Amino acid sequence: MEQHIKTSQDTNPWLEAARSVPAPQVPKTMHLSPEAPLLDDEVQVDLDVVIEAEEPRTVLVAAHGGAGTTTWSHILGAVDGGSVEHWVAEREPVDVPAVLVLRASVEGISTAKSILAFHGTEAFVAALIIPASPGKLPRRITSELRILGGAINLIHAPWVPDLLLKRAAHAAPSDLSAKELIKLTTMLTNQGIHTQGETP
C-alpha cells in the first residue's frame, strides 16, 4: 500500500493557522424540564436570577402628546414606549401588551377611544389615567371615563404637583409618597401588570 507523503504543496497555510487557534470554550447550559429535580440550592438560586432577568418590563404607550409616559415610566420602572405609532411600528409579536397612558381630559379620552377602536382593546392590558388637575374631576370627564372603562381597565395615577417642577427624565419613585406608590403598584399588579418600581 502506498503511503502518501505530505509535501509543501499539500500544506494549506490557512488551515494550519486555523488548527493552531484553540477552540472557544462553550459555556455549559442546563435544560431542565418542569418535572426534573433540582440538584442543589445553588442551582435554584441561579435559575431564579435568570428567570427574573428575562421577565419583560411593562411598556407605557402615549395616547397623545404630553400624556406622561416618560415621567411615569421612570416612576414605575417601566419601559417608555413613546407614541402609539412608534410602538406599533417597533414592537414584536412576542412583546407584552402595553399600558395606554392618557390625560384625564376630553381630548385625551377621545384620542384613547379612537386608538382602541383602531388597534383593538386586546393590544392594551389597561389604561393609565393621568390627572390633568388636582381635585375632583368635572362631571363630563367622569362620564367619559366611565364609558372608556367599559372597553378597557382604568388605573388612576395620583395627582403629584411636584412633578410639574422637574423634567420628565428626572422623575423617580420617591416623587410619590410610600402610600401612593403602594396603592398604584397594587392596582397595576391586580391587573397583571408588573413593574420594577413596586415596593414591598
Side-chain angles (χ1 to χ4, degrees), residues 32-151:
L32 300 178
S33 65
E35 297 80 11
L38 295 175
L39 299 178
D40 51 39
D41 293 338
E42 183 177 352
V43 174
Q44 176 68 56
V45 172
D46 291 343
L47 289 177
D48 287 343
V49 171
V50 172
I51 292 172
E52 183 178 354
E54 292 179 351
E55 184 178 350
R57 291 194 295 164
T58 298
V59 179
L60 302 185
V61 182
H64 53 83
T69 55
T70 302
T71 296
W72 288 94
S73 63
H74 279 80
I75 291 173
L76 297 172
V79 174
D80 182 359
S83 66
V84 171
E85 293 77 12
H86 177 267
W87 174 71
V88 169
E90 297 294 329
R91 76 186 293 264
E92 298 293 338
V94 295
D95 285 350
V96 294
V99 173
L100 188 64
V101 182
L102 62 136
R103 291 282 174 181
S105 63
V106 170
E107 182 178 358
I109 298 170
S110 177
T111 304
K113 288 179 181 177
S114 299
I115 290 170
L116 294 177
F118 186 79
H119 294 288
T121 56
E122 67 279 359
F124 307 94
V125 289
L128 181 62
I129 311 300
I130 309 301
S133 62
K136 188 177 180 180
L137 294 173
R139 182 177 300 177
R140 182 181 174 187
I141 299 299
T142 301
S143 177
E144 292 292 333
L145 285 175
R146 189 178 297 113
I147 296 172
L148 182 64

